[in-house]
Amino acid sequence: MTSQARWIRFAMVGALGVVLQLAVVEGLTGHWQVDYRWATVVGVLSAVAHNFAWHRRWTWRDRPDSRGTVVTFLAFAGGNGLVSLAGNLLVMRALVGSLHTPILAANIVAIATCAAANYLLADKAIFRMPPHAFRSPPNPL
């Protein structure tokens, strides 16, 4: 798969994750009056689990996974999850806490801020090709 096709798939899955994250944040802050920081954590974690499932089965399905689902999920949650949590909380704190930006608008900015870092991390570390995939076949002569 080309890098461009993979990026498009990543963005499509991410767009669905954004809808999920925003729905969770809106539901928690608007309906249940949960603090925006806690709502952001729950929203990000929901999107991380959603995105992992789709990325593993669609975005990076052409890459063999010798580590297994649980180990790969832990790597994804530890990599993309931490980038998303830290990035979202920092941006949300700055935009909502300091600048009083509306919560959903700030959440969209936070998500976009983390997108490129998450793609690179997923492509180069989490769903990377196994080392043996890079070896040239033996020379038959």
Side-chain angles (χ1 to χ4, degrees):
M1 177 180 310
T2 67
S3 294
Q4 182 179 11
R6 195 175 313 279
W7 170 256
I8 290 169
R9 287 183 179 203
F10 178 84
M12 291 171 70
V13 169
L16 292 174
V18 168
V19 170
L20 174 62
Q21 181 173 331
L22 294 177
V24 168
V25 170
E26 175 61 24
L28 291 174
T29 59
H31 184 70
W32 288 292
Q33 307 305 309
V34 173
D35 181 80
Y36 74 89
R37 291 167 286 211
W38 287 110
T40 298
V41 169
V42 175
V44 168
L45 293 176
S46 299
V48 166
H50 165 274
N51 291 357
F52 171 75
W54 279 103
H55 287 323
R56 187 162 192 274
R57 295 209 180 265
W58 191 50
T59 310
W60 281 279
R61 72 174 180 199
D62 60 325
R63 295 193 180 170
D65 182 11
S66 59
R67 298 177 295 176
T69 302
V70 172
V71 173
T72 305
F73 174 74
L74 292 174
F76 187 81
N80 287 60
L82 287 177
V83 166
S84 294
L85 275 174
N88 273 264
L89 287 172
L90 287 170
V91 172
M92 291 294 285
R93 177 71 180 117
L95 294 179
V96 175
S98 298
L99 299 175
H100 309 291
T101 304
I103 292 171
L104 290 183
N107 215 244
I108 291 169
V109 172
I111 293 165
T113 301
C114 298
N118 276 333
Y119 176 79
L120 290 173
L121 185 60
D123 191 56
K124 303 301 181 197
I126 296 159
F127 297 106
R128 70 184 184 278
M129 290 293 287
H132 60 79
F134 293 112
R135 293 189 190 132
S136 300
N139 188 347
L141 298 176

